[in-house]
Amino acid sequence: MDNILLSLLTNPLVWVTIVILYTLKKGVYFVPQNRGYVVYTLGKYTKTLSAGLNFLIPYVQTVAADRNLKEQSLEIISQPAITKDNITLDIDGILFMKVIDAAAATNNITDYKTSVVQLAMTSMRNAIGSMELDECFQNRDAINAQILGAMTEATAPWGVMVTRYEIKDITPPQTIREDMEKQMTAEREKRSVILTAEGVKTSAITEAEGLKQARVLDAEAAKAEQVLAAQATKESQILEATGKAEAIRLVAEADASALEVVGNVANTEQGRAAVTLTLAQDAIKAHLAIANESTIVLTDGKTGDNIANTVAQAIAVSSSLKL
């Protein structure tokens, strides 16, 4: 066995075969998807191999770098940044980037990932330094856009494109947090008071509108009642007037009828005698009424004769009627 191994090692054909196989291996490359192989020819950049089967000149061309062309995320560790109003904040974030030019990422920068992270930190501090504390909390999108704009311009020569930047946390000092909590508590109490006042106002408005509507309805009802009462009064007065008119007409007709009868009877001798008797009786009653109401009766001296004459005429008329 040892003799066979020794003979193989000493056989030049075996060594030639090994060299040929190694050379073929050095000249054939299978590049995966989303990878970029940077090729140098005698130490100078020549080309970038794309995905698939590629051939190189062994010992003359070499793969100097293997770059990942997929989008990558890099975490930006928490770091202090001073705002425009001199408040120190601890800020961290995350950025997303991808290599779009493998040759530039190899030839123009030593370590593109480290460089991108350092640039992100610097851009973030610059963005925070241009804003006050309240703006930093309210304008995160503006900060992200400002950092992204600065990095896009700076990373273009490196063959790197920053696609997105997001601030994760902004941590103010403890004293500032306490003041912010007090402010938030006061703001919540203010909103609560405002909402309560608005509720009371709405309730008062609703109640006033209800009272107004009730008064309007009461006024309309009273008006309707007055109209109905007026109509009823009017109809009642009309009926009463009609009744009175009818009664007057009937009384007038009765009086006319009576007068007609009396007139017809008065045209006779007995009728005239009856009228005279009635007048005499009425005169006697009148004198008696005056005498009953007063103890002193003033006359013109002829009253007695008149009364005697009247009585005599009455007796005479009565006797004639009896006959």
Side-chain angles (χ1 to χ4, degrees):
M1 185 60 131
D2 293 337
N3 292 330
I4 296 174
L5 182 60
L6 180 61
S7 62
L8 290 174
L9 293 175
T10 57
N11 189 344
L13 184 59
V14 173
W15 284 104
V16 170
T17 303
I18 292 173
V19 170
I20 292 173
L21 292 175
Y22 179 76
T23 301
L24 291 175
K25 181 181 178 301
K26 294 286 289 183
V28 178
Y29 282 88
F30 294 95
V31 181
Q33 188 69 35
N34 292 321
R35 307 290 294 192
Y37 286 6
V38 179
V39 177
Y40 283 5
T41 301
L42 298 177
K44 182 179 180 181
Y45 170 74
T46 305
K47 61 181 177 178
T48 300
L49 300 182
S50 58
L53 177 62
N54 294 271
F55 296 96
L56 297 180
I57 301 174
Y59 309 110
V60 176
Q61 295 179 324
T62 58
V63 175
D66 176 9
R67 299 303 181 195
N68 185 358
L69 304 181
K70 295 180 182 180
E71 188 170 5
Q72 306 172 58
S73 62
L74 300 177
E75 185 175 0
I76 309 302
I77 61 174
S78 179
Q79 59 175 324
I82 301 176
T83 63
K84 188 176 181 180
D85 49 355
N86 296 323
I87 304 297
T88 301
L89 303 176
D90 291 330
I91 304 177
D92 58 359
I94 186 171
L95 65 84
F96 298 87
M97 47 82 63
K98 65 184 301 184
V99 176
I100 58 175
D101 188 346
T106 302
N107 300 326
N108 298 343
I109 191 74
T110 302
D111 186 347
Y112 68 90
K113 290 185 179 180
T114 302
S115 300
V116 168
V117 170
Q118 295 297 326
L119 179 61
M121 291 180 177
T122 303
S123 300
M124 186 166 60
R125 284 194 294 268
N126 292 337
I128 295 298
S130 63
M131 298 183 179
E132 295 184 355
L133 179 62
D134 293 339
E135 294 177 333
C136 294
F137 288 102
Q138 297 173 2
N139 299 325
R140 287 197 178 196
D141 292 339
I143 296 174
N144 295 334
Q146 184 175 346
I147 296 172
L148 181 61
M151 296 190 66
T152 299
E153 182 179 357
T155 57
W158 302 344
V160 176
M161 180 177 67
V162 178
T163 59
R164 188 175 180 183
Y165 185 90
E166 291 291 340
I167 293 177
K168 293 198 297 184
D169 293 316
I170 300 178
T171 306
Q174 181 64 29
T175 56
I176 300 299
R177 289 202 298 270
E178 292 176 356
D179 292 340
M180 293 174 64
E181 290 176 358
K182 293 178 181 179
Q183 183 179 359
M184 292 174 62
T185 301
E187 187 67 24
R188 285 195 295 268
E189 292 177 354
K190 177 182 176 182
R191 287 198 297 267
S192 176
V193 171
I194 292 174
L195 291 175
T196 302
E198 289 180 351
V200 172
K201 177 182 177 182
T202 303
S203 176
I205 291 173
T206 303
E207 183 178 359
E209 290 179 350
L211 292 175
K212 177 182 176 182
Q213 188 68 21
R215 290 176 180 175
V216 171
L217 293 176
D218 290 340
E220 291 178 352
K223 182 178 179 181
E225 289 179 358
Q226 292 177 356
V227 172
L228 293 176
Q231 291 178 351
T233 302
K234 180 179 178 181
E235 292 176 358
S236 176
Q237 291 176 349
I238 292 172
L239 293 175
E240 183 178 358
T242 303
K244 288 182 178 181
E246 184 66 19
I248 292 171
R249 185 183 65 81
L250 293 175
V251 170
E253 289 179 355
D255 290 341
S257 216
L259 290 175
E260 183 179 0
V261 173
V262 171
N264 293 330
V265 173
N267 287 328
T268 64
E269 182 179 355
Q270 292 180 347
R272 285 192 292 273
V275 170
T276 303
L277 176 61
T278 300
L279 293 175
Q281 290 175 348
D282 290 340
I284 293 170
K285 289 179 181 178
H287 286 293
L288 289 175
I290 293 172
N292 290 332
E293 292 181 1
S294 177
T295 57
I296 299 174
V297 178
L298 298 177
T299 65
D300 55 358
K302 299 179 180 180
T303 305
D305 295 336
N306 293 334
I307 295 173
N309 295 330
T310 303
V311 170
Q313 292 177 359
I315 293 172
V317 172
S318 176
S319 297
S320 63
L321 290 175
K322 290 178 180 179
L323 292 176

